[in-house]
Amino acid sequence: MSLRERSRQLVESRAFQYFITAVILGNAATLGLETSPVLHERYGSALHVIDVTALTIFVVELLLRLFVHGLRFFRDPWNVFDLAIVSVALAPASSAFTVLRAMRILRVLRLVSVVPSMRRVVSALLTAMPGMVSIAGLLVLVLYVAGVMATKLFAHTAPEWFGSLGQSIFTLFQIMTGDSWSEVAREVMAKQPLAWIFFVGFLVVSAFTVLNLFIAVAVSAMEAEHRAEQSAAESVEGPTPIPAQDRAVLAEVRALRAELRELRAELSERQPV
């Protein structure tokens, strides 16, 4: 067995993937601990050693993958992502690269490619993006129309909330999220009692209808992704095997059909011509 083949078996083994996942999680925890001034002062050296060790493992892993896959390594977006993050981590620790080095924590996102359920969710979200963009456009349109109406209706009543179109849109966005919307509505209703019609109508259209469309599109995309995975698995694994009990029933049915055919043949022979 060649060296490349042995390296391929090592890189593609489940134990190696679990090990890299554990290193990613450990490195993410180390980077989080470094944000604490107290812990950094006490254990800064140990945390630095762990960070350098994890970075060395990441570099060795990437080199192994490059050796195994060659130029095909760059066809996988997650491999390119890993290469970019490790390259950023190898940048000099100067003030100009401080922000880039902080981006090492993004490598924990590689867990998405390891955990099938996360991968399914991300794929479903990417599939649902066109529908979500359309819903977002509808939401922007609703906010704009309602913002113009609110500015016209309540600018003099509550100028701190609806004094301009920008203030109105921001206030309506706050109302849409449910953040203290009753306080805004009651303040306006104290001077304009019928203002509840506008606020209730806006909440029904925005929060209870448009926002729920996002959930509907995401769930529909996840169901489609799940069905696609099931179809792919069935095409690879072949048809689902029949249980032993069902096979016995089918055998009995076939035997009964054979006996019926024999009885029909005997009856047809006994009938007079």
Side-chain angles (χ1 to χ4, degrees), residues 62-255:
L62 286 177
L63 291 177
L64 284 174
R65 292 188 179 278
L66 279 169
F67 175 69
V68 169
H69 300 293
L71 294 178
R72 291 180 300 171
F73 173 89
F74 298 97
R75 297 180 183 177
D76 189 349
W78 287 107
N79 289 338
V80 177
F81 177 79
D82 288 341
L83 180 62
I85 296 301
V86 173
S87 300
V88 169
L90 292 173
S94 61
S95 59
F97 294 93
T98 302
V99 177
L100 294 179
R101 287 178 59 82
M103 293 177 63
R104 289 175 296 172
I105 191 63
L106 293 179
R107 199 173 194 276
V108 73
L109 293 177
R110 194 189 164 207
L111 291 175
V112 175
S113 64
V114 177
V115 181
S117 58
M118 290 185 182
R119 187 169 59 245
R120 188 182 304 118
V121 170
V122 173
S123 300
L125 289 177
L126 293 176
T127 304
M129 282 303 295
M132 288 187 174
V133 170
S134 300
I135 298 171
L138 176 61
L139 183 59
V140 170
L141 183 61
V142 170
L143 278 173
Y144 178 75
V145 172
V148 173
M149 293 178 61
T151 304
K152 295 288 186 181
L153 293 172
F154 312 126
H156 299 289
T157 304
E160 69 276 14
W161 300 110
F162 303 102
S164 64
L165 180 59
Q167 288 178 319
S168 297
I169 291 177
F170 184 81
T171 302
L172 291 175
F173 184 83
Q174 173 185 338
I175 291 173
M176 181 183 65
T177 60
D179 180 20
S180 303
W181 77 271
S182 60
E183 297 179 5
V184 179
R186 291 182 186 280
E187 181 177 342
V188 177
M189 288 169 59
K191 300 178 182 179
Q192 294 181 245
L194 295 179
W196 66 268
I197 299 175
F198 174 84
F199 291 109
V200 171
F202 175 75
L203 275 174
V204 169
V205 173
S206 61
F208 298 153
T209 303
V210 178
L211 289 182
N212 284 328
L213 288 177
F214 282 99
I215 301 175
V217 171
V219 170
S220 177
M222 290 183 65
E223 290 179 353
E225 185 73 18
H226 183 63
R227 289 195 297 268
E229 286 189 0
Q230 283 186 334
S231 300
E234 290 177 358
S235 62
V236 173
E237 298 175 359
T240 305
I242 302 175
Q245 185 177 1
D246 294 343
R247 288 199 300 269
V249 173
L250 289 175
E252 293 180 1
V253 171
R254 294 192 186 98

